[in-house]
């Protein structure tokens, strides 16, 4: 029987990935990783909501590893600019995505997705809890001293699977619908 040959570069990448998956993070690395994970989670989850709920035309999406991701869209720009800036500064309390049917009655909400952000005191390390109409999904990074990259990746994948499962179980939205996003800030945010 012939053995399969794995090039040295492949072996080195596998060893590095294995080391990263079991590496416990210090506070600085944990904050940077936490922000990156939350950015990914927001991109993936809001893209999944927009894609699976048919909120935008299909040409606004590009297939990626986790799901279809919004590309070159004002919604994505809002996420990457305003939301992440507020998260990095520790100001963002909640991000709420609403779907409603009548533009004259935006308070008559038929679906909502709430992203609540929590910060580890003294470090501004963000954690997130996401509430949909039917479920709560937590992605917590509060035990910095014991979290590993592998656990974070696993948590993100599990969250994505649960969210997609929840979205696929919802009734189809009517053709005429509207989307709104609200950002809520905590008491540490400047008044402006």
């Amino acid at each position: 029987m012939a053995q399969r040959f794995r090039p040295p570069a492949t072996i080195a990448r596998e060893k590095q990935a294995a080391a990263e998956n079991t590496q416990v993070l210090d506070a600085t690395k944990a904050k940077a990783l936490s922000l990156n994970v939350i950015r990914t989670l927001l991109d993936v989850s809001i893209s999944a909501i927009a894609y699976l709920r048919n909120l935008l035309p299909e040409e606004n999406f590009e297939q990626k590893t986790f799901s279809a991701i919004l590309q070159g869209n004002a919604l994505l720009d809002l996420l990457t600019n305003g939301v992440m800036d507020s998260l990095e500064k520790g100001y963002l309390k909640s991000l709420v995505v609403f779907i409603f049917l009548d533009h004259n009655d935006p308070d008559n909400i038929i679906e909502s997705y709430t992203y609540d952000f929590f910060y580890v005191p003294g470090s501004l390390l963000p954690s997130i809890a996401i509430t949909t109409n039917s479920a709560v999904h937590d992605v917590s990074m509060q035990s910095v001293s014991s979290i590993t990259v592998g656990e974070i990746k696993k948590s993100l994948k599990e969250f994505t699977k649960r969210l997609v499962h929840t979205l696929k179980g919802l009734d189809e939205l009517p053709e005429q619908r509207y989307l709104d996003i609200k950002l809520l800030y905590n008491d540490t945010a400047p008044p402006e």
Side-chain angles (χ1 to χ4, degrees):
M1 258 196 231
Q3 280 189 324
R4 291 180 57 199
F5 174 74
R6 290 188 306 167
T10 303
I11 295 170
R13 277 194 306 270
E14 289 172 356
K15 285 181 180 178
Q16 181 180 1
E20 286 176 356
N21 285 342
T22 58
Q23 176 185 13
V24 175
L25 304 173
D26 64 29
T28 304
K29 288 181 182 176
K31 181 177 180 183
L33 182 61
S34 178
L35 289 168
N36 191 30
V37 166
I38 289 175
R39 176 188 305 269
T40 301
L41 184 132
L42 287 171
D43 287 350
V44 168
S45 63
I46 291 181
S47 294
I49 292 165
Y51 183 77
L52 293 171
R53 302 306 288 145
N54 296 314
L55 297 175
L56 297 169
E58 195 161 331
E59 60 266 12
N60 284 301
F61 299 91
E62 177 181 299
Q63 192 65 34
K64 293 285 187 179
T65 304
F66 287 116
S67 69
I69 303 291
L70 284 166
Q71 295 296 313
N73 188 285
L75 183 60
L76 189 60
D77 291 340
L78 170 70
L79 289 177
T80 56
N81 296 325
V83 172
M84 291 311 297
D85 182 55
S86 298
L87 267 175
E88 288 171 11
K89 293 175 180 172
Y91 298 154
L92 191 60
K93 180 179 179 181
S94 298
L95 164 73
V96 186
V97 178
F98 304 98
I99 300 172
F100 55 99
L101 301 179
D102 182 356
H103 71 279
N104 293 319
D105 189 12
D107 293 330
N108 189 5
I109 298 164
I110 60 166
E111 282 183 29
S112 68
Y113 304 88
T114 304
Y115 299 77
D116 290 314
F117 301 95
F118 309 93
Y119 303 89
V120 174
S123 71
L124 297 181
L125 181 68
S127 291
I128 187 170
I130 301 165
T131 307
T132 62
N133 291 15
S134 60
V136 175
H137 309 280
D138 288 312
V139 177
S140 178
M141 298 185 63
Q142 292 192 12
S143 57
V144 176
S145 61
S146 64
I147 197 161
T148 66
V149 175
E151 291 167 336
I152 293 168
K153 287 178 182 178
K154 182 180 177 186
S155 179
L156 187 58
K157 284 182 181 179
E158 288 173 359
F159 161 78
T160 304
K161 286 178 185 177
R162 287 192 317 263
L163 179 64
V164 167
H165 178 74
T166 300
L167 292 169
K168 286 184 174 181
L170 297 174
D171 292 337
E172 196 170 312
L173 288 171
E175 189 70 29
Q176 186 75 22
R177 69 243 179 222
Y178 299 91
L179 176 76
D180 195 8
I181 296 176
K182 303 253 189 251
L183 301 178
L184 305 171
Y185 299 95
N186 59 32
D187 295 337
T188 64
E192 186 69 15

